[in-house]
Amino acid sequence: MSNQTIKKNGTIKWQSPSNLAIIKYWGKFGSQFPRNTSISFTLDKAHTITQLKYNVKDVKDEQISLSFTFEGKQNEAFEHKVKAFLNKINNDYFPFLKSYHLHFDSFNSFPHSSGIASSASGMSALALCLCTMENELYGTLADTGLFYRKASYIARLGSGSACRSIFPYMALWGSHADIEASSNEIAIPYEDKIHPVFKNYHDDILILSNKEKSVSSTAGHGLMENNPFADSRYKQANERMLTLLKALEDGNTQLFGEIAEAEALTLHALMMCSEPSYMLIDPKSVEVINLVRQYRLDTKIPVYFSLDAGPNIHLLYPNEYQSQVSSFVEDQLKPLCYEQRIIYDQVGLGPKKLEN
Ligand code: PMV
């Protein structure tokens, strides 16, 4: 395409979800490569909407020119973060970016102070906007498969787990000797081999605290390098993955739930036995865990929990039990939540390109 025909401006908007890892990624090397394979549910309600407006610069220079508003207000912290990220990757992946002024405007569907990490939804939305821009300018990502693979690759460079948010239902990331097409560079969609029961699984996110994390996930991954259990942990994750994939295929919600809980507790145990040690769960997380286990024992309903790198509890259960579980949640768990906040989420269909 000649220079004259390249678009001078445009507006792109993507909605991209958060995700919840069932087998956790914890420990990385090189440029955001995972030490073990992970797999996640793509969520629906917890998402970021990012709009990118691009305008060609009058005079081309070698700088990334960018402004960033978050929920309608200028946000310097995000502006610096995204600028640093684009400065790092543009030469290799989007060399045209320096010819444009970029304005990003971003919204989260969940409250800012909810303790929900927004890096997966935010970074995946950003990556999708950049890939669409490339395609609008050069038509180089017209192939849908290629488009999503590049989006996943770029999202990974922004925040490892974000690479999984690109695909519907479930996504798997990290190379595994026994899993075809698995890769450290991109996540792969994992929807064909999962039983329908998991395609509309519930994930009620119980917000137990609105506090910022005391240790960033970058620092947390870093501490795995000297964790004495690191090697056995990576081996365990890769072995659990195979058991989990079988449970997903068979629709075995009990085995699925047992692995989800074991993985969540392993993640937090690894934090506690890092040097220095730190703890991201709080007494309310333990209280909820005990209530969930008692409820399961009493009712035989397959409700299990998971946690991300924070105190909030993700309550996982099949759609068919929604009304029963709902009374348990409203009566026993909601009163324990920060400002009674719960995000009633579910497995979702992945990112959506929105009209401007
Ligand atoms: O993507 P990061 O660097 O924020 O790491 C996230 C890691 C966990 O959320 C704790 C686990 C996972 O696999 O998503």
Side-chain angles (χ1 to χ4, degrees), residues 21 24-26 119 159-161 164 217 221 267 308-309:
K24 306 289 184 183
Y25 147 60
W26 201 237
S119 62
S159 169
S161 60
R164 296 185 310 236
S217 52
H221 288 290
L267 171 71
D308 250 332

Side-chain angles (χ1 to χ4, degrees), residues 41-74:
F41 275 152
T42 299
L43 298 180
D44 181 40
K45 303 243 164 35
H47 61 243
T48 297
I49 293 178
T50 296
Q51 177 173 279
L52 163 61
K53 279 193 178 161
Y54 60 93
N55 287 291
V56 76
K57 286 178 185 170
D58 296 333
V59 183
K60 188 185 171 209
D61 56 27
E62 287 306 301
Q63 303 299 318
I64 290 285
S65 165
L66 171 157
S67 50
F68 200 110
T69 50
F70 179 66
E71 305 193 332
K73 289 197 201 103
Q74 197 193 347

Side-chain angles (χ1 to χ4, degrees), residues 19-26 28 32 38-40 117 119-120 156 158-162 164 173 213 216-218 221 267 271 307-310:
N19 68 74
L20 171 77
I22 304 302
I23 301 286
K24 306 289 184 183
Y25 147 60
W26 201 237
K28 64 178 174 182
Q32 307 257 82
S38 59
I39 190 167
S40 53
S119 62
R156 183 198 98 234
S159 169
S161 60
R164 296 185 310 236
W173 171 44
K213 283 193 280 189
S216 71
S217 52
T218 303
H221 288 290
L267 171 71
M271 293 171 184
L307 293 127
D308 250 332

Side-chain angles (χ1 to χ4, degrees), residues 205-220:
I205 311 171
L206 310 170
I207 310 298
L208 299 179
S209 160
N210 70 335
K211 288 201 195 100
E212 295 278 321
K213 283 193 280 189
S214 58
V215 177
S216 71
S217 52
T218 303

